[in-house]
Amino acid sequence: MSSSQLPKLQTPITFLKGVGPQKAESLAKELSIYTFEDLLAHYPFRYYDRTKFYKIEEVQSEETFIQLKGIVSNIQIINTGKKRLQVTLSDDTGSIDLIWFQGIAWIQKSLVLKKEYIIFGRPNYFNGRFNFSHPEIELAETREASAQVFQPVYSTTEKLKLKSLDSKGLGRITKNLVSELKEIDIVEYLPTYIIEKYKMLSLYEALINIHYPQNDSMLQRAIARIKFDELFLIQLKILQVKVERDTVFKGIVLEKIGVHFNTFYKEKMPFQLTEAQQRVLKEIRKDTLSGKQMNRLLQGDVGSGKTIVALITCLIALDNQYQSAVMAPTEILAQQHFESFSLALGDMPIRVRLLTGSVKGKKREAILKELLEGEIDILIGTHALIEDTVQFKNLGMVVIDEQHRFGVGQRAKLWSKNTLPPHVLVMTATPIPRTLAMTIYGDLEVSVIDQLPPGRKPIQTLHKFDSQRLAVFGFMKKEIEKGRQIYIVYPLIEESEKMDFKDLMDGFESISREFPMPQYQISIVHGKMKAKDKDFEMGRFIRNETQIMVATTVIEVGVNIPNASVMIIESAERFGLSQLHQLRGRVGRGADQSYCILMSGNKLGTESRQRLKIMCDTNDGFEISEFDLKLRGPGDIQGTQQSGVMNLKLADLSKDKQILILARETAQELLLNDPLIQKDIHQSLKNHLNSNKNSKTVWSRIS
Ligand code: ADP
Ligand code: MG
């Protein structure tokens, strides 16, 4: 909902009938409801269908509020224990007790024996049978034909309940509000042509019907309109950023394909690119020829071969005399990129350098100098690359690997490193559902590598309980005999860091006992170690000097050790799905059959069970992320905080894909016709966007 210009909606809530200063204060404190508008935006989260009647024999759970119709008999006051009024309600399937502890006299007086009543409430299970305590009750013959069919149910808080603002109480004041509002109080900001095209309800109709629907069809239309608005406004803002960027910033044109690219392609390419890799390169090529700055997100599952795409992209920049920067989230990864770039380029005369936090002193100075003088072609590093002291001669291409570790601000810093902003390729191995990508990265072009290099054997994933550990040890020994290497990963979650550390150390000890030296060598890497020691241990494993790597999630992203073919994840139930998928992606990189073994305690909740099951069922990161979104909503997915997704009230990215696509297309069309949103027909929309500028959502440039 919007902050509109007309004063009515801005009226402080205390002026609403039924809300005094005390209630107003509580509404503000508990639900941040200050004005009419805020209350109007507190949508019901469900509705009771008051056309539906249950039979008494159907009353079989305490779960939800239901409505019954029956004849009242046996009205009596019972004085044993707590004094109560007890009434029998009967229909043709049975009878059930209605009970009141308060207001007894008044109810007793108003009830008429043998008359038919409608009651509404939630069943209680007590002493082996169901009853209703304090149900709503009304004479069936006086229920108006026009009575509210769908009764709204509102979320509330314990404190509000004490001020008689439970769901029903909120319903009462919302009813007052709705009856006070007229069509003109609610400014329609969508242009008429959009409303007509999709036969939408007006904003006024939608807001009234979302609280008090006339009927089911109106309710559905109201929900659709409000969901559309939520998604449309986000899309409009994101796409505006893109339009602005495309019009304001010129981009470097990488005209030529030259000697570096050609030599590499013809002589050095270690394999044939997959079709998906070729397609992505074409897309990048098109962007870098367009005269606009490229802002492209490359999504590719772990092991899909993003590195070579990055390398070739840098070669295209170099063919046009531009430098490239490649940023990785950790030193280990930067080191690995540096090595794989150097290895792939072999004796080609290309100057690749590594700059991380641990490159210091003279060595660092030398690199900075060479960089500024244009003597370095490709600089690979960690976030050290974006420090102010790092100045390029002519930076043309920035590749950011594993984007989610980089903050928006860090990316923005890169912009200033050249007079024309460099092209930006953001690579991520954390697949996210398309709906979410459209929203979080809505201003980026998206490329997907949806194909693994040929000849990979799918990783086999198994779930084992702690009680099966001996068998797992046996399996490990067999794999080591075959020459394979094994990761064992322990959770590290901040809140319980101490305990996790103990688990890790206990685990390390028991592994050391089970796999004694000198027959076996074990590495250990965890967050409390110094970077130097970590690298040392990692190095031993990379060189195949150790067979087992015991680690926390520090090895999660990027590491490429093809001979490591078994990934054992301890307490797997404590990891998120995308993290499990990332970790699993550390194996399956060589020619051998790889395995991922998810260890868990014997007792598991339903959700944990479902998560471990989907891991065993599929290797497809996109499928897993769709499942994750359904299971947990977007809150846990990286990047959602800045995207406005968290302010969605009704729209649900796992379910409302169709509406989202419609909203995005509508926004695209609108901006195509009116890039700056300044035509008369968009005046109201523009006002609305402006009035929302300072709202909670932080709009971010992705790069
Ligand atoms: P990621 O997308 O996870 O960064 P990498 O770029 O590290 O994946 O690639 C994983 C492995 O696959 C590397 O060993 C790489 O050399 C290899 N690879 C990449 N592309 C191909 C290809 N087209 N054919 C064969 N192997 C490939
Ligand atoms: Mg990678």
PDB file of all heavy atoms in Angstrom, residues 248 267 331 377 457 496 577 658:
ATOM      1  N   VAL A 248      22.524   6.951 -18.856  1.00  0.00           N
ATOM      2  CA  VAL A 248      23.538   7.851 -18.322  1.00  0.00           C
ATOM      3  C   VAL A 248      24.953   7.383 -18.651  1.00  0.00           C
ATOM      4  O   VAL A 248      25.804   8.158 -19.047  1.00  0.00           O
ATOM      5  CB  VAL A 248      23.392   7.990 -16.789  1.00  0.00           C
ATOM      6  CG1 VAL A 248      24.543   8.783 -16.210  1.00  0.00           C
ATOM      7  CG2 VAL A 248      22.064   8.640 -16.455  1.00  0.00           C
ATOM      8  N   GLU A 267      44.863 -22.794 -29.764  1.00  0.00           N
ATOM      9  CA  GLU A 267      46.019 -23.579 -29.331  1.00  0.00           C
ATOM     10  C   GLU A 267      45.977 -24.040 -27.881  1.00  0.00           C
ATOM     11  O   GLU A 267      46.630 -25.013 -27.528  1.00  0.00           O
ATOM     12  CB  GLU A 267      47.308 -22.756 -29.554  1.00  0.00           C
ATOM     13  CG  GLU A 267      47.569 -22.513 -31.030  1.00  0.00           C
ATOM     14  CD  GLU A 267      48.719 -21.532 -31.242  1.00  0.00           C
ATOM     15  OE1 GLU A 267      49.508 -21.323 -30.291  1.00  0.00           O
ATOM     16  OE2 GLU A 267      48.795 -20.971 -32.346  1.00  0.00           O
ATOM     17  N   GLU A 331      41.108 -15.909  -0.128  1.00  0.00           N
ATOM     18  CA  GLU A 331      42.469 -16.015  -0.645  1.00  0.00           C
ATOM     19  C   GLU A 331      42.677 -17.339  -1.382  1.00  0.00           C
ATOM     20  O   GLU A 331      43.311 -17.388  -2.435  1.00  0.00           O
ATOM     21  CB  GLU A 331      43.479 -15.933   0.505  1.00  0.00           C
ATOM     22  CG  GLU A 331      43.464 -14.585   1.192  1.00  0.00           C
ATOM     23  CD  GLU A 331      44.873 -14.043   1.426  1.00  0.00           C
ATOM     24  OE1 GLU A 331      45.853 -14.758   1.123  1.00  0.00           O
ATOM     25  OE2 GLU A 331      44.975 -12.896   1.897  1.00  0.00           O
ATOM     26  N   ASP A 377      47.947  -7.337 -17.228  1.00  0.00           N
ATOM     27  CA  ASP A 377      46.760  -7.496 -18.074  1.00  0.00           C
ATOM     28  C   ASP A 377      45.557  -7.990 -17.284  1.00  0.00           C
ATOM     29  O   ASP A 377      44.440  -7.545 -17.479  1.00  0.00           O
ATOM     30  CB  ASP A 377      47.061  -8.479 -19.216  1.00  0.00           C
ATOM     31  CG  ASP A 377      48.239  -8.022 -20.050  1.00  0.00           C
ATOM     32  OD1 ASP A 377      48.301  -6.812 -20.363  1.00  0.00           O
ATOM     33  OD2 ASP A 377      49.120  -8.857 -20.357  1.00  0.00           O
ATOM     34  N   LYS A 457      30.228 -38.060 -14.025  1.00  0.00           N
ATOM     35  CA  LYS A 457      29.289 -39.010 -13.432  1.00  0.00           C
ATOM     36  C   LYS A 457      28.529 -38.273 -12.330  1.00  0.00           C
ATOM     37  O   LYS A 457      29.141 -37.630 -11.487  1.00  0.00           O
ATOM     38  CB  LYS A 457      30.055 -40.179 -12.810  1.00  0.00           C
ATOM     39  CG  LYS A 457      30.777 -41.045 -13.823  1.00  0.00           C
ATOM     40  CD  LYS A 457      31.127 -42.398 -13.185  1.00  0.00           C
ATOM     41  CE  LYS A 457      31.929 -43.272 -14.130  1.00  0.00           C
ATOM     42  NZ  LYS A 457      33.348 -42.852 -14.243  1.00  0.00           N
ATOM     43  N   SER A 496      26.537 -20.935  18.124  1.00  0.00           N
ATOM     44  CA  SER A 496      27.018 -22.028  18.956  1.00  0.00           C
ATOM     45  C   SER A 496      28.469 -22.353  18.622  1.00  0.00           C
ATOM     46  O   SER A 496      28.880 -23.497  18.636  1.00  0.00           O
ATOM     47  CB  SER A 496      26.135 -23.252  18.745  1.00  0.00           C
ATOM     48  OG  SER A 496      26.119 -23.584  17.384  1.00  0.00           O
ATOM     49  N   LEU A 577      19.957 -25.656   2.598  1.00  0.00           N
ATOM     50  CA  LEU A 577      20.022 -26.440   1.361  1.00  0.00           C
ATOM     51  C   LEU A 577      21.072 -25.923   0.389  1.00  0.00           C
ATOM     52  O   LEU A 577      21.799 -26.701  -0.222  1.00  0.00           O
ATOM     53  CB  LEU A 577      18.656 -26.442   0.661  1.00  0.00           C
ATOM     54  CG  LEU A 577      17.717 -27.569   1.065  1.00  0.00           C
ATOM     55  CD1 LEU A 577      16.381 -27.410   0.361  1.00  0.00           C
ATOM     56  CD2 LEU A 577      18.330 -28.922   0.724  1.00  0.00           C
ATOM     57  N   GLN A 658       3.442 -16.232 -12.321  1.00  0.00           N
ATOM     58  CA  GLN A 658       2.700 -15.653 -13.442  1.00  0.00           C
ATOM     59  C   GLN A 658       2.476 -14.163 -13.245  1.00  0.00           C
ATOM     60  O   GLN A 658       2.687 -13.370 -14.152  1.00  0.00           O
ATOM     61  CB  GLN A 658       1.343 -16.358 -13.625  1.00  0.00           C
ATOM     62  CG  GLN A 658       1.439 -17.801 -14.065  1.00  0.00           C
ATOM     63  CD  GLN A 658       2.434 -17.994 -15.205  1.00  0.00           C
ATOM     64  OE1 GLN A 658       2.442 -17.221 -16.167  1.00  0.00           O
ATOM     65  NE2 GLN A 658       3.299 -19.000 -15.095  1.00  0.00           N
TER      66      GLN A 658
END
